[in-house]
Amino acid sequence: MDEIYREHLLDHYKNPRRFKELKDPDIHKHDSNPLCGDDIEIFVKLDTKKEKITDISFKGQGCVICISSASMLMEELVGKKINEVNKMQTEDMLKILGIELTHSRIKCMMLPLKTLQKGIVEYFSKEN
Ligand code: FES
């Protein structure tokens, strides 16, 4: 990994963006990686039509990849449509992170997105 990129990741790890609890979130989901016990909690506020993310934040603990990917993901998702978030996959996260990862680290990278997607499914299954 080149030095500049390593610093970029470490910066997100040490100073995670949107690392806080949101009051009265529409979606609040907690999940963990059973392999290491690291965990992530995601908070989301939706627009009145429940189509877009208007605010999003996270809390939790994890390895550098997990926390950096959560932090970078938060920055990408404000204003994003829920149906687009649902479609996001490993390749999308790799693009956001901008690095290649081994299989075990892909699980770390995917924990924040998977947690959010589970929260979205639960929220909309309760709504209907
Ligand atoms: Fe725990 Fe990466 S080692 S999420």
Side-chain angles (χ1 to χ4, degrees), residues 19-33:
F19 189 84
K20 61 181 178 185
E21 206 171 309
L22 283 187
K23 283 224 167 108
D24 304 319
D26 293 301
I27 297 169
H28 176 205
K29 181 70 184 166
H30 176 238
D31 205 0
S32 61
N33 184 342

Side-chain angles (χ1 to χ4, degrees), residues 78-96:
V78 180
K80 191 118 173 160
K81 287 193 174 145
I82 290 294
N83 59 10
E84 288 172 14
V85 178
N86 285 336
K87 285 189 216 146
M88 288 175 76
Q89 292 177 355
T90 308
E91 298 72 52
D92 302 295
M93 284 308 303
L94 284 170
K95 251 185 232 160
I96 291 172

Side-chain angles (χ1 to χ4, degrees), residues 74-114:
M74 298 297 103
E75 290 193 317
E76 287 282 319
L77 293 187
V78 180
K80 191 118 173 160
K81 287 193 174 145
I82 290 294
N83 59 10
E84 288 172 14
V85 178
N86 285 336
K87 285 189 216 146
M88 288 175 76
Q89 292 177 355
T90 308
E91 298 72 52
D92 302 295
M93 284 308 303
L94 284 170
K95 251 185 232 160
I96 291 172
L97 245 72
I99 47 171
E100 308 247 322
L101 293 174
T102 58
H103 186 67
S104 61
R105 302 328 297 273
I106 283 185
K107 290 214 171 84
C108 304
M109 174 189 76
M110 291 305 285
L111 179 62
L113 178 63
K114 295 253 178 214

